[in-house]
C-alpha cells in the first residue's frame, strides 16, 4: 500500500488500508457518488459521541490496492455551525481521530462552483492529498455555463476530474486516480500572516491553516475552562467571529478570481431555469402555502394509508406466531412471559417500522429534490417566534401520524437548541394512537347534545 507523506509530517498509519474521505456541500451529489463507488458493500453506524451517520466501505482495485472510503457529512465550511460540520471539522483537523483520512475527494456542484470552491480551498490548505470531483456538469450546461477543467486544475493545484454521478460519466477516470498516488496540493490559499490576532494559541499540526483553526477555537475553549466571565466569553466569541468573517472575505476574493478564469459562458440564458421558476412559486406566501399543505397532506396520507398494509401484515403475522407459540408450549409462567410479554412487546415495536421507513423515505426524496429547503424558508418566520425554525415543520406535521418517527426526523435540524425544542413540542401533536382514546373519553364525558340544533357537542370537543 502506498503511504502519503508530505512536509507537514502527516502521520503514518498502522492500518493495512488507506483511508480516503468523501466530502462536499449538501446536495452536491456526494452520497450518490459514494453509493456508485461502493455499491451495496457499505458499513453504516454513527460517528463516536453523536447521532450522525457514518458510512464506510472497503474498495479493492485490480492492482491489489485496498482503500476505505468514508462518506463524511455534508458541510459548507470547516468552521462548524452544525453537528454535521462539527464532525467534519473534528475528523479533518484532528490527526488522532480514528477516521482522519490520508486523502480527500471533494465533490463540487458545477452549477454552484463558487460555493463549492470555498470548502475545497479550505481542504486544500490542510495540505492533505486531494482530488476535486466536478459533478453536475449537465446542470451547469443548461444554465449556459461550462467549466474549463484544465484551467481549474492549474488554479487549484490539485487533480480535477469531471464526473456525473447520475450517468456514471468520469467514474472510471476517478477510480484510476484513486488507484494511483494522489498528490499533495501544490498551492495554498491561506496566509497566516494576514491574521496575527489568531496566532497566540497555535499548536503543532499538519498545516498553518490547521493551526489557524486550532487557535481561534482554543481561545473560547480556554475562557470556558477557566470559568471566565460572560463578558470575556462574549469578547472571545466576537473576536473569533470577526476573524472568520475576514477569512471568508479574503478567501472569496481569490475564489471569484478563479471562477472568472474557469467559467465559460456558452450562451446567454434568457429564460429562467426550472429551479428559479420553482422558487418563484414554491416560496410565494399564498401559492407556496397551498402547495405546502398539498404536499404534506399527501405525506400525511402516505404515513397513514400506505403504512397500514404492512403494519396489518406485521400485526397479523405476529398474532399468528403468538397463537402458534401458545399452542405448542405448556401452560406455564415462562410460556406466558414469552408469548404475552416478549413477543407481544416486540410486536408493539416492530409494527411502527413501516411508518418510520415511509416517513424517512419521503423526507429524503423531498430533501434531495430541494423542496425541504423551500418549505423551511416558507415557515421559518412563523416558527422562529416560538424558538424553532423552518426545518421543525417536518417533525411537527409528522407528529400527527406518529410521534416516534416524527421525533427521529428532528435529527436533521442543525441547531441543538432548536432541535431539543422541536423534540419536546412534537409529542404534543395528536398522533393517530391517541385519537381512539380521545373519542372514548369524549363519548364518556361529553353529553350527546347538539349546539344550535345541528352541531354535535361531542364533535366540537
Amino acid at each position: 500500500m502506498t503511504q502519503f507523506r508530505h512536509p507537514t509530517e502527516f502521520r503514518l498509519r498502522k492500518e493495512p488500508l488507506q483511508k480516503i474521505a468523501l466530502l462536499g456541500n449538501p446536495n452536491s451529489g456526494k452520497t450518490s457518488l459514494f453509493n456508485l463507488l461502493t455499491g451495496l458493500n457499505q458499513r453504516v453506524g454513527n460517528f463516536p459521541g453523536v447521532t450522525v451517520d457514518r458510512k464506510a466501505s472497503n474498495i479493492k482495485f485490480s492492482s491489489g490496492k485496498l482503500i476505505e472510503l468514508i462518506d463524511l457529512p455534508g458541510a459548507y465550511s470547516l468552521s462548524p455551525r452544525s453537528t454535521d460540520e462539527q464532525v467534519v471539522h473534528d475528523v479533518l483537523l484532528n490527526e488522532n481521530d480514528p477516521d482522519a483520512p490520508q486523502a480527500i475527494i471533494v465533490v463540487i456542484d458545477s452549477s454552484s462552483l463558487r460555493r463549492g470552491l470555498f470548502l475545497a480551498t479550505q481542504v486544500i490548505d490542510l495540505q492533505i492529498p486531494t482530488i476535486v470531483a466536478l459533478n453536475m456538469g449537465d446542470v451547469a450546461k443548461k444554465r449556459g455555463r461550462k467549466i474549463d477543467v484544465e484551467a481549474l486544475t492549474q488554479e487549484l493545484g490539485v487533480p480535477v476530474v469531471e464526473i456525473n454521478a447520475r450517468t456514471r460519466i468520469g467514474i472510471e477516470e476517478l477510480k484510476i486516480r484513486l488507484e494511483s498516488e494522489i498528490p499533495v496540493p501544490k498551492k495554498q490559499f491561506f496566509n497566516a500572516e494576514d491574521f496575527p490576532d489568531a496566532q497566540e494559541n497555535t499548536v503543532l499540526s499538519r498545516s498553518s491553516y490547521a493551526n489557524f483553526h486550532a487557535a481561534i477555537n482554543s481561545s473560547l475553549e480556554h475562557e470556558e475552562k477557566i470559568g471566565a466571565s460572560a463578558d470575556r466569553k462574549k469578547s472571545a466569541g466576537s473576536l473569533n467571529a470577526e476573524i472568520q468573517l475576514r477569512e471568508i472575505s479574503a478567501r472569496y476574493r481569490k475564489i471569484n478570481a478563479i471562477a472568472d478564469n474557469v467559467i465559460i459562458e456558452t450562451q446567454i440564458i434568457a429564460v429562467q431555469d426550472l429551479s428559479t421558476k420553482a422558487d418563484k412559486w414554491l416560496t410565494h406566501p399564498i401559492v407556496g402555502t397551498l402547495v405546502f399543505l398539498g404536499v404534506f397532506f399527501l405525506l400525511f396520507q402516505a404515513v397513514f394509508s400506505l403504512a397500514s398494509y404492512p403494519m396489518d401484515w406485521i400485526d397479523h403475522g405476529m398474532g399468528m406466531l403468538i397463537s402458534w407459540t401458545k399452542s405448542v408450549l405448556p401452560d406455564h409462567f415462562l410460556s406466558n412471559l414469552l408469548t404475552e410479554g416478549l413477543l407481544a412487546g416486540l410486536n408493539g415495536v416492530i409494527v411502527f417500522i413501516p411508518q418510520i421507513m415511509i416517513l424517512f423515505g419521503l423526507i429524503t426524496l423531498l430533501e434531495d429534490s430541494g423542496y425541504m429547503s423551500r418549505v423551511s424558508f416558507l415557515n421559518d418566520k412563523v416558527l422562529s417566534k416560538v424558538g424553532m425554525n423552518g426545518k421543525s415543520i417536518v417533525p411537527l406535521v409528522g407528529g400527527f401520524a406518529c410521534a416516534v418517527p416524527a421525533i427521529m426526523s428532528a435529527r436533521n435540524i442543525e441547531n441543538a437548541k432548536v432541535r431539543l425544542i422541536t423534540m419536546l413540542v412534537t409529542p404534543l401533536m395528536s398522533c393517530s394512537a391517541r385519537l381512539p382514546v380521545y373519542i372514548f373519553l369524549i363519548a364518556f364525558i361529553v353529553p350527546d347534545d347538539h349546539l344550535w340544533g345541528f352541531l354535535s357537542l361531542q364533535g366540537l370537543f
Side-chain angles (χ1 to χ4, degrees):
M1 186 198 77
T2 303
Q3 291 283 357
F4 293 110
R5 309 178 186 211
H6 49 78
T8 52
E9 295 183 355
F10 187 80
R11 70 184 182 91
L12 295 179
R13 301 190 170 266
K14 298 179 180 179
E15 295 89 347
L17 73 167
Q18 180 189 20
K19 292 180 183 289
I20 297 181
L22 196 59
L23 180 63
N25 295 158
N27 300 317
S28 62
K30 172 181 63 67
T31 301
S32 298
L33 177 59
F34 178 79
N35 294 336
L36 196 61
L37 291 173
T38 62
L40 299 177
N41 182 30
Q42 301 174 10
R43 301 185 301 278
V44 181
N46 285 336
F47 284 96
V50 292
T51 57
V52 177
D53 285 342
R54 180 193 186 280
K55 290 197 293 185
S57 176
N58 291 353
I59 305 175
K60 188 172 184 178
F61 295 96
S62 56
S63 63
K65 180 178 180 179
L66 184 67
I67 69 169
E68 181 183 18
L69 189 64
I70 303 172
D71 184 19
L72 293 180
Y76 290 106
S77 79
L78 296 183
S79 299
R81 289 177 174 81
S82 68
T83 306
D84 287 358
E85 290 186 343
Q86 185 65 53
V87 168
V88 173
H89 175 276
D90 294 343
V91 169
L92 295 187
L93 276 80
N94 181 9
E95 297 180 10
N96 297 317
D97 191 285
D99 290 314
Q102 294 168 284
I104 300 176
I105 305 171
V106 182
V107 183
I108 296 180
D109 178 0
S110 298
S111 61
S112 303
L113 184 66
R114 286 178 171 84
R115 184 177 65 186
L117 283 177
F118 183 84
L119 178 62
T121 55
Q122 286 185 317
V123 172
I124 289 171
D125 283 338
L126 294 178
Q127 292 295 285
I128 304 174
T130 301
I131 297 176
V132 170
L134 206 57
N135 195 25
M136 300 185 187
D138 53 338
V139 178
K141 186 177 180 181
K142 289 179 181 177
R143 298 182 181 180
R145 296 175 182 173
K146 187 179 184 305
I147 310 299
D148 187 337
V149 178
E150 292 297 328
L152 185 60
T153 300
Q154 294 297 320
E155 293 282 358
L156 297 180
V158 298
V160 178
V161 180
E162 194 169 19
I163 67 166
N164 190 315
R166 183 172 56 84
T167 61
R168 302 181 65 93
I169 293 176
I171 300 301
E172 292 303 320
E173 182 183 352
L174 179 60
K175 288 182 178 179
I176 293 173
R177 292 278 188 180
L178 293 176
E179 197 170 2
S180 59
E181 184 171 344
I182 304 174
V184 177
K186 299 177 181 177
K187 293 188 176 182
Q188 281 194 276
F189 299 87
F190 169 79
N191 186 2
E193 296 177 357
D194 295 338
F195 302 89
D197 37 5
Q199 302 305 309
E200 297 178 1
N201 300 312
T202 56
V203 295
L204 182 61
S205 187
R206 58 167 66 106
S207 70
S208 60
Y209 187 60
N211 285 342
F212 164 74
H213 262 279
I216 62 175
N217 287 326
S218 63
S219 60
L220 188 56
E221 291 174 1
H222 176 70
E223 301 294 344
E224 294 278 358
K225 187 179 295 185
I226 65 174
S229 64
D231 288 341
R232 286 190 60 178
K233 293 178 185 177
K234 184 177 180 181
S235 176
S238 299
L239 177 60
N240 290 354
E242 179 187 347
I243 293 172
Q244 290 179 10
L245 285 174
R246 282 161 50 197
E247 182 212 348
I248 292 171
S249 299
R251 196 173 290 276
Y252 264 112
R253 282 195 295 270
K254 298 179 181 179
I255 289 173
N256 288 332
I258 293 174
D260 291 339
N261 289 335
V262 303
I263 296 178
I264 303 171
E265 300 288 346
T266 56
Q267 56 180 322
I268 303 299
I269 305 296
V271 184
Q272 291 178 314
D273 60 75
L274 183 61
S275 179
T276 306
K277 291 179 180 179
D279 287 339
K280 180 180 178 181
W281 294 107
L282 295 178
T283 59
H284 190 274
I286 298 175
V287 178
T289 302
L290 293 176
V291 173
F292 160 72
L293 293 175
V295 169
F296 275 81
F297 171 77
L298 294 176
L299 178 69
F300 186 68
Q301 289 296 313
V303 174
F304 263 119
S305 305
L306 293 181
S308 64
Y309 298 102
M311 289 175 74
D312 289 342
W313 298 337
I314 292 172
D315 194 37
H316 180 67
M318 290 298 295
M320 293 179 62
L321 177 61
I322 291 173
S323 298
W324 177 81
T325 306
K326 283 183 176 180
S327 66
V328 298
L329 292 178
D331 187 12
H332 191 269
F333 166 74
L334 293 178
S335 301
N336 292 332
L337 179 63
L338 175 63
T339 56
E340 302 297 338
L342 181 61
L343 292 180
L346 186 62
N347 180 37
V349 175
I350 65 175
V351 75
F352 289 109
I353 291 178
Q355 281 190 329
I356 295 172
M357 292 178 64
I358 290 174
L359 180 61
F360 271 75
L362 293 177
I363 288 175
T364 300
L365 288 177
L366 292 176
E367 287 181 340
D368 289 346
S369 66
Y371 182 66
M372 288 309 303
S373 58
R374 295 172 173 91
V375 170
S376 300
F377 173 80
L378 193 65
N379 294 277
D380 189 72
K381 186 175 181 180
V382 175
L383 293 176
S384 62
K385 296 179 180 179
V386 290
M388 293 182 280
N389 63 27
K391 289 191 175 183
S392 303
I393 196 67
V394 176
L396 294 180
V397 173
F400 282 104
C402 179
V404 176
I407 291 175
M408 292 174 65
S409 67
R411 66 186 298 179
N412 294 326
I413 301 173
E414 294 89 352
N415 186 289
K417 181 181 178 181
V418 174
R419 184 168 61 249
L420 179 60
I421 293 174
T422 304
M423 292 170 66
L424 293 175
V425 171
T426 297
L428 301 179
M429 304 295 106
S430 296
C431 74
S432 57
R434 299 177 190 173
L435 296 180
V437 179
Y438 293 156
I439 293 172
F440 170 77
L441 291 176
I442 289 172
F444 183 72
I445 297 173
V446 180
D448 188 14
D449 295 335
H450 288 76
L451 190 64
W452 300 318
F454 67 93
L455 287 178
S456 169
L457 194 61
Q458 291 181 343
L460 287 176
F461 270 84

